[in-house]
Structures are given as C-alpha cells and as structure tokens.
C-alpha cells in the first residue's frame, strides 16, 4: 500500500478568520467594504483604513496559509500610504487563487456604535462581491453595535470580523 503525501491527506476545504480594528477620528473618510459612508468620523490608518476589507484580507490569507495583511502590505512601506483596500484585497485574493483556492462563502460582521449600518449593508455586500468577483449570495454582511461598552461603544473605534470558507 502506497503512502499518501500530507497534501493528499489534507481536506480540500479551509476556514480562515480575520479581525481588524481602527480608531475613529474627525476629518477622515469612513469607508466600509469599499463604500464611502457619510459620517462625521472616519477610520484612521496607513491605507484607507477599510476595517472590513482588512478583516476579509486576513481571513483569505489565513485560510490559504499565506500569512497576513501586515506581511503582504506593511504599514512601514510608503507605497501603501492611502491605498485603496479593494486593491489590496484583490492582490491578496490573486495570491490565494494562485495557490489553488476559491471562495465558497464569506461571512462578516462590522461593529460600530454609529452610524447605523442597516441601510448600507446591501451596498457593502454588493461591493465586496464585486471586488472578489463573487455572487452576492456568497457574501453576508452583519452589523452590530457596541452597546455603549468599550472602544466601539464609546465611538472611539470600529472593528470587523470575517470568516471565509475556501475549497481547492
């Protein structure tokens, strides 16, 4: 009986988790999932600080075993200053595809005390699906508040979490 290689023994499915957090501050744009949202506060970061797309990028890279967003796009590199996070996500996803993986589904949660995001969720979902060339049925966007507790609840920050399922 021939022995299988480790690669042959591994399942053809992988789960990845990503999380990100950025401070809120006046005079910055608020961009979530590639959608600019009219709000008096925006997210602070080296790139455009799109907390949702950063979490998705980390989930994809993690599932494929390709590191994380900080390794691929370090905030010490001036070329990423003000970068559009959609372009970063697309570049990371190209690496994931090159490694032989495709997305089955993506489930995301944005945590923000304000603004209320319910009316923006369909537009964010569409934007994420288009960025990754997915059907909108493969993408889910949820929004939660911080219940006035912690940095999110005090409107000091926003966070996002993403879980992705990949198949070879």
């Amino acid at each position: 009986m021939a022995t299988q290689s480790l690669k042959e023994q591994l399942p053809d499915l992988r789960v990845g988790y990503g999380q990100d957090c950025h401070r809120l501050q006046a005079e910055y744009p608020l961009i979530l999932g590639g959608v600019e949202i009219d709000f008096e506060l925006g997210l602070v970061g080296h790139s455009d600080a799109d907390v949702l797309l950063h979490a998705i990028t980390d989930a994809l890279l993690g599932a494929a075993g390709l590191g994380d967003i900080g390794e691929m796009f370090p905030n010490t590199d001036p070329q990423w200053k003000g970068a559009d996070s959609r372009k970063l996500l697309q570049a990371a996803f190209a690496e994931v595809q090159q490694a032989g993986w495709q997305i089955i589904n993506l489930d995301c949660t944005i945590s923000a005390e304000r603004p209320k995001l319910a009316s923006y969720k369909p537009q964010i979902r569409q934007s994420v699906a288009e960025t990754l060339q997915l059907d909108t049925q493969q993408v889910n966007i949820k929004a939660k508040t911080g219940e006035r507790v912690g940095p999110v609840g005090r409107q000091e920050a926003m966070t996002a979490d993403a879980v992705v399922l990949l198949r070879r």
Side-chain angles (χ1 to χ4, degrees), residues 21 24 29 81 93 107 126 143 161 168:
C21 177
L24 281 164
K81 179 73 175 157
F93 186 43
D107 187 31
Q126 182 67 40
D161 299 273
R168 189 173 302 280

Side-chain angles (χ1 to χ4, degrees), residues 16 30 43-44 60 62 66 68 85 99 123 126-127 137 139 143 145 153:
L30 177 56
L43 295 169
V44 180
L60 285 169
L66 297 174
D68 63 47
S85 293
Q123 188 179 357
Q126 182 67 40
S127 175
Q137 295 302 308
V139 177
T145 68

Side-chain angles (χ1 to χ4, degrees), residues 68-160:
D68 63 47
I69 192 171
E71 293 171 29
M72 189 171 277
F73 310 105
N75 64 6
T76 55
D77 190 332
Q79 74 174 313
W80 308 124
K81 179 73 175 157
D84 181 337
S85 293
R86 290 175 296 192
K87 302 236 184 279
L88 304 182
L89 175 56
Q90 288 169 332
F93 186 43
E95 293 291 321
V96 169
Q97 290 174 307
Q98 184 74 21
W101 297 100
Q102 63 182 9
I103 296 172
I104 294 177
N105 76 302
L106 175 63
D107 187 31
C108 309
T109 304
I110 304 166
S111 296
E113 194 67 25
R114 291 182 46 244
K116 298 299 182 195
L117 297 174
S119 66
Y120 292 99
K121 290 189 322 181
Q123 188 179 357
I124 294 170
R125 182 182 192 185
Q126 182 67 40
S127 175
V128 170
E130 287 175 4
T131 300
L132 294 169
Q133 300 175 335
L134 300 173
D135 186 282
T136 56
Q137 295 302 308
Q138 292 174 272
V139 177
N140 188 55
I141 305 293
K142 300 183 298 282
K144 305 289 182 192
T145 68
E147 297 293 332
R148 298 186 316 201
V149 176
V152 170
R154 291 188 301 268
Q155 298 179 65
E156 297 169 358
M158 286 186 183
T159 65

Side-chain angles (χ1 to χ4, degrees), residues 7 10-14 101 104 166-168:
K7 186 175 180 180
L10 291 174
D12 288 329
L13 298 174
R14 295 258 186 101
W101 297 100
I104 294 177
L166 301 181
R167 78 170 160 220
R168 189 173 302 280

